[in-house]
Structures are given as C-alpha cells and as structure tokens.
C-alpha cells in the first residue's frame, strides 16, 4: 500500500507540473470548468443521505435500510411517477453502502447482505430504467461513517467504479489529516476518473473541508470538479435551509461567478416532501435552489410523498429556471422591510426573480417592486411579460419599465417570477 501510495503521489506531481501548460491552453480556448462534457446544467436526481442516513438494520427496518432494494424501488418510481421525465436522472448512493473491508485485491466491495447482487448488478438495473447511478467514497482514510476510505487507492477505486458502470461519484472529505492531502486527493481522483475513460460526474466537498484552514481557490476547484459543497449538510429543518441561504448571501462575491456549465456550487439536497418544512418553506427551498443554479438532488421517500410536494418538485417552469442553458448562477440583490430579493439572468434576456418574506410572524405581506430596479435595469426595458411561477402560476401580463409589480408573500415563503423581454 505504501509503495502504491508513493508512486501515486509521484504521478500526481508530474501531472500537476504539466498543469500550468494545460491551463494556458485552456485559457486560450476560453474553457474554465472541468472538461469532461458533463453537468452542462446542474445535476438532477435523488441522493439517499438526508432521508435514509446510515440505516444498516435491514432486519428491523427492511424498507428504510441502505440496500439494493431501496435503490431499485426508487429507480422504479423515478420512472413510473414522472421524475425521470421531469429531469431527475441520477439515482445516487451516499455513505454506508460498503462492506467494512476491501476485497483480497484491495477493491471496495458492497456489503454482501444489503447489496447481494453487488453494485454492477444495481448499475445495470438502473441503466435498464434509463437512469444513471451515483456512488460515494471518501478522499481520506475512512468515510464519514467509518467505512474504507480511498486514500492510497484512488486509481483502484476510480477503475472499480468505472468497471461497475457508475456515472457519478460523490467524494467526501472526512478522515483526511492535512490540507495538502485533501487538495491533492481531490485533484488526483479527478484525473484518475478521467483516465478510466468513463464519463463520471465528479461531486466534491473540497471547499467545505478546506475552509476552516484556507480560503478555497475556486478557479482551481472548478477545473477538477463538476459540483462542490461549500457549507454544512442540509437537515430536514427550516433552520438548516435559512443557514444555507444566509451563508450564500454572505459569501456570494466569492462563489457566484465561478458557477457555469460543467461546474456548480452545491448547497446540498432538496428536503422537500419530508417532515421539517412547512409548505411555504418548501416553496422557498425550490425557488432559491432554482435561482442558485443548484444541483437538484432530492432526498425523500418517493414511495410516500404528498401530491403537493411532488408537483412542486416536478414543476416544469421552475426546473427550466434551474436548468437554464445560459448557466449563470443568481444572486441576492437587496432586503427592504424584511423582504429579500434575489435575481438570476436567463437565456434570451429573461430574468428570474425571487421575493422572499423573512418574517415568521403575521400574515401575507405585500411588497411592491419598481420593475426598473430588476435585472441591472435592463430586465424589463422597454417592457416585459411577467409570470408568477410560485407559489402558483399566474400570468401577470405586460409591464413597462416605469411600472411596478405587486407581490404578496406568506411568512417564510417566496414568490418566484419570470420576466421575459417584450
Ligand atoms: C492515513 O493514515 C496513515 C497512517 O496513519 C497516515 O500516514 C496518512 O497521513 C493518513 N492519510 C490521510 C489522508 O489522512
Ligand atoms: C479527460 O480529459 C480530457 C481533457 O482534459 C477530455 O477531453 C476528456 O473528454 C476527458 N475524458 C473523460 C472520460 O472525462
Ligand atoms: C488559484 O488557482 C489558479 C489555478 O490553479 C492559479 O492560477 C491561481 O494563482 C490560484 N490563486 C491563488 C490566489 O492562489
Ligand atoms: C430562446 O428563444 C428561442 C427563439 O424564440 C427559443 O427557440 C428557445 O427555446 C429559447 N430558449 C430558452 C431557454 O427559453
């Protein structure tokens, strides 16, 4: 293992030494993001963590333990209940899928009791449904839940995932003892995945784990990762959603401009359809994740989800904003009287605007916006058609540049609008 590790690091230093040349070349070509052709719009799919966490007890809880049965059931529902048609394509496994030890050849293996068919079998099944399979590993010595880490095995693990037919890797950052190992490990794995020749979306947590020690270099990160987590794990609570949004507004100067086709900021999973958010708070998560050009990875139980949550998650107009081909992330604009305004430039000179009521007391709040104050003053110049998309779709008609828009927003809710050039 030590030999392999050493030669691995030597390999990396060669590759990194050649990197500046490549970068100059990319600079000329104008490409900035990881060049694997993937995640040209934010990744959409389902990820088990927030809802199913690390449930290993298939004896007591056969329906919610981390097992091939869980993923097969979700795959079936993703197709039969319209999720795939709405764009949710990647069915992703998080931590706790592994057996506690590698096999005799040093390869990771799935827990044989919970995944009796193995990951290749599961990948075949998922592919037969027209979906893609995501998997999870860790840059350090162990995964966060204590399963085998990839440190010292990056090439073997990348090849194993490629051999199994995996389409996305979420690479966590637990049990990594130095900043240097963290950064080198994330870079090395990106190159190792590329060398397998298989197209694998690479989801990183590099800036999240780096931030306590160093300001992340996003120019660097976007050249290696398709999306990257910046902040804490999402929980099924309004407090958690508010913390993610407020972290994003505080740090937007650093992160918004880096996002684009091939590389996205990842504010973590959608928890819509679970237990912790009111209806208005679920609307807020959906609207703001669309504004932020966030990967839309649901973590919920597709076997038991309310029609209302399903309709929100499958809303075509909102998904179209999230997936807009211009690929520019939106940003926080201003707060007035406890009303927060966000906006996002879209293709065809359209804009999305989210108006969020920060109050958690009282009833619906009226807020009147001068149209000229939106979209750098040009969104509605000389005029535009406005459609409210959330909480319900309502055509608000033609607006002149000098006009105002009246909105009404429930406490902790959000109104999402689309403005189209007239
Ligand atoms: C993994 O553990 C070994 C042995 O304790 C240690 O030398 C190495 O630095 C660790 N690697 C990481 C990335 O923490
Ligand atoms: C590997 O990277 C090169 C450029 O760096 C790119 O052209 C190629 O498509 C990548 N291959 C895969 C499988 O990601
Ligand atoms: C960030 O990384 C890029 C690309 O590797 C490099 O050119 C740049 O100098 C780095 N910036 C800082 C502040 O280290
Ligand atoms: C932009 O406008 C063109 C022409 O009307 C249309 O075909 C295209 O679908 C529009 N793109 C988006 C993302 O709405």
């Amino acid at each position: 293992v030590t030999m392999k590790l050493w030669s691995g690091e030597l390999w990396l230093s060669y590759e990194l030494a050649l990197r500046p040349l490549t970068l100059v070349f990319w600079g000329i070509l104008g490409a900035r993001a990881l060049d694997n052709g993937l995640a040209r719009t934010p990744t959409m799919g389902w990820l088990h963590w927030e809802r199913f966490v690390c449930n290993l007890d298939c004896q007591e809880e056969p329906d919610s333990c981390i097992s091939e049965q869980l993923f097969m059931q979700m795959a079936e529902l993703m197709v039969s209940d319209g999720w795939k048609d709405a764009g949710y394509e990647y069915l992703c496994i998080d931590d706790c899928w592994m057996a506690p030890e590698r096999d005799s050849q040093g390869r990771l293996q799935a827990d044989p009791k919970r995944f009796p068919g193995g990951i290749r079998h599961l990948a075949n099944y998922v592919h037969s449904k027209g979906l893609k399979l995501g998997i999870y590993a860790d840059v350090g010595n162990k995964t966060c839940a204590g399963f085998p880490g990839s440190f010292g095995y990056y090439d073997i693990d990348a090849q194993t995932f490629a051999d199994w037919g995996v389409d996305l890797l979420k690479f966590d950052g637990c049990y990594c003892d130095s900043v240097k190992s963290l950064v080198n490990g994330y870079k090395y794995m990106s190159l190792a995945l590329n060398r397998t020749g298989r197209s694998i979306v690479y989801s990183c947590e590099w800036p999240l784990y780096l931030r306590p020690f160093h300001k992340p270099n996003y120019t660097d990160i976007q050249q290696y990762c398709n999306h990257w987590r910046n902040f804490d794990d999402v929980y099924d609570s309004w407090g958690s959603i508010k913390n993610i949004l407020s972290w994003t507004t505080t740090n937007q100067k650093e992160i918004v401009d880096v996002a684009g086709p091939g590389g996205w900021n990842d504010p973590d999973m959608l928890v819509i359809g679970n237990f912790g958010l009111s209806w208005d708070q679920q609307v807020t998560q959906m609207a703001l994740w669309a504004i932020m050009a966030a990967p839309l990875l649901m973590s919920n139980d597709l076997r038991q989800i309310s029609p209302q949550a399903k309709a929100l998650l499958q809303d075509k107009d909102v998904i179209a904003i999230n997936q807009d081909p211009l690929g520019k992330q939106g940003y926080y604009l201003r707060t007035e009287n406890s009303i927060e305004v966000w906006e996002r430039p879209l293709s065809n000179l359209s804009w999305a605007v989210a108006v969020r009521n920060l109050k958690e007391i009282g009833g619906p709040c009226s807020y009147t916006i001068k149209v000229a104050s939106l979209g750098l003053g040009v969104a509605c110049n000389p005029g535009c058609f406005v459609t409210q998309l959330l909480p319900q779709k309502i055509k608000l008609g033609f607006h002149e540049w000098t006009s105002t828009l009246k909105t009404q927003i429930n406490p902790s809710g959000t109104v999402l609008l689309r403005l189209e050039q007239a």
Side-chain angles (χ1 to χ4, degrees), residues 18-32 35 223:
L18 292 171
R19 211 75 204 165
L21 279 175
T22 324
L23 290 188
V24 169
F25 196 62
W26 282 359
I28 293 164
L29 295 174
R32 300 187 312 159
D35 181 21
Q223 281 157 8

Side-chain angles (χ1 to χ4, degrees), residues 15 34-36 38 135 137 150 153-163 166-171 185-204 224-226:
E15 289 225 20
L34 171 60
D35 181 21
N36 62 3
L38 302 170
I135 207 161
S150 294
Y153 297 89
Y154 297 141
D155 286 301
I156 295 179
D157 291 353
Q159 194 56 52
T160 303
F161 298 147
D163 291 345
V166 161
D167 306 292
L168 177 149
L169 173 64
K170 173 176 173 177
F171 210 37
Y186 272 106
K187 291 183 178 179
Y188 193 97
M189 194 49 148
S190 181
L191 302 172
L193 290 171
N194 180 280
R195 281 195 294 271
T196 68
R198 183 169 176 89
S199 288
I200 300 176
V201 173
Y202 186 41
S203 167
C204 298
Y224 293 91
C225 303
N226 290 118

